[in-house]
Amino acid sequence: MFGVFDTQYEPSRPYLQLVRRRNAATLLPIIQRKVRPGTIVHSDQWAAYNRIQRDLGLIHGTVNHSVNFVDPASSVHTQNAKSNWSAAKEKLKKMKGNTNSNFLQEYLQEFTWRRWYGEPHPNGCFQRILQDIADQYPL
């Protein structure tokens, strides 16, 4: 799995995607499609991310997790990403095995929808989906 999290929102807005490989050839095109130019990207020092600044022109700050959780010089950290991954995993765990690996991408899309649209709705996810259905199919 690969994820990008927009932390200017509360809760953070994720983009999650299943990937076969976590190499630069796979991840950089996804980052280029999903991250706006000029965005500041924080990551760990996974080798696939080494070319984010050079190839994609994004501002890229890193933290070396073998030394610190938060870079002492730049304050760069990946705690928001780790927190969001934890929430996504918790959602799957709450399903208590009632999952099908063939639908993992759909489970990630549901988690994404809930974070983007359901949780921020003043009356919760259920009311949001009812509102969306009513907007799509007016009486």
Side-chain angles (χ1 to χ4, degrees), residues 86-132:
S86 178
K89 290 176 194 175
E90 186 64 28
K91 170 76 173 138
L92 292 174
K93 286 179 187 175
K94 283 182 179 178
M95 297 172 83
K96 298 184 179 174
N98 296 319
T99 59
N100 180 326
S101 61
N102 294 326
F103 299 121
L104 186 52
Q105 183 64 47
E106 285 79 6
Y107 300 143
L108 295 176
Q109 289 170 335
E110 177 195 350
F111 177 79
T112 299
W113 182 88
R114 287 175 176 276
R115 285 295 176 107
W116 278 67
Y117 305 109
E119 292 173 17
H121 191 278
N123 297 318
C125 291
F126 185 67
Q127 288 299 316
R128 174 59 194 247
I129 197 133
L130 290 179
Q131 177 186 332
D132 287 351

Side-chain angles (χ1 to χ4, degrees), residues 76-95:
V76 169
H77 64 84
T78 59
Q79 298 308 313
N80 291 320
K82 294 197 180 305
S83 173
N84 278 278
W85 276 120
S86 178
K89 290 176 194 175
E90 186 64 28
K91 170 76 173 138
L92 292 174
K93 286 179 187 175
K94 283 182 179 178
M95 297 172 83

Side-chain angles (χ1 to χ4, degrees), residues 3-16 34 36 80 84 111-121 128:
V4 177
F5 303 93
D6 187 342
T7 59
Q8 70 179 341
Y9 298 95
E10 181 58 40
S12 295
R13 290 183 173 180
Y15 171 78
L16 307 173
K34 296 298 177 181
R36 289 187 180 126
N80 291 320
N84 278 278
F111 177 79
T112 299
W113 182 88
R114 287 175 176 276
R115 285 295 176 107
W116 278 67
Y117 305 109
E119 292 173 17
H121 191 278
R128 174 59 194 247

